[in-house]
Amino acid sequence: MQLFQINRGKFVSTNEEYRIDYVSYNGGASEWIISRKNSTDKYFTALTSAPTITDAKAKYFEIVKAVA
C-alpha cells in the first residue's frame, strides 16, 4: 500500500488507515512514529517507531505485508 506525503513530517497510506509522523522531543531527540487507526476510526494507535524515515517506511511495509 502506497504512502503519500502530506507535509515534511507526515505520510499517510492510500486508505488513510496508517500514518507515519515525525515527532521531536525536548532535548533534541526525535523519531518517526508508525501508527494505525484504532477500532473507533477516530484515533491512531502507535505500533512502532524508527530513527529515520527510511527505517520507518521499511517497518511500515513489513507491517502492511504481514496484515495482508
Side-chain angles (χ1 to χ4, degrees), residues 2-34:
Q2 256 186 327
L3 287 170
F4 291 96
Q5 187 170 4
I6 304 301
N7 58 40
R8 290 186 323 162
K10 183 181 292 268
F11 293 80
V12 177
S13 62
T14 52
N15 66 356
E16 298 181 1
E17 185 174 348
Y18 294 91
R19 70 182 183 188
I20 300 174
D21 291 301
Y22 180 77
V23 179
S24 61
Y25 302 106
N26 288 338
S30 62
E31 63 185 334
W32 291 87
I33 307 292
I34 299 108

Side-chain angles (χ1 to χ4, degrees), residues 1-5 11-15 18-20 33-36 47-50 52-68:
M1 188 176 315
Q2 256 186 327
L3 287 170
F4 291 96
Q5 187 170 4
F11 293 80
V12 177
S13 62
T14 52
N15 66 356
Y18 294 91
R19 70 182 183 188
I20 300 174
I33 307 292
I34 299 108
S35 54
R36 182 179 187 182
L47 302 173
T48 188
S49 65
T52 67
I53 187 59
T54 303
D55 294 338
K57 286 180 179 180
K59 286 185 177 186
Y60 163 77
F61 287 114
E62 287 175 17
I63 291 167
V64 170
K65 185 178 177 183
V67 172

Side-chain angles (χ1 to χ4, degrees), residues 37-52:
K37 275 190 181 176
N38 63 19
S39 59
T40 65
D41 284 341
K42 283 187 171 185
Y43 301 101
F44 282 79
T45 302
L47 302 173
T48 188
S49 65
T52 67

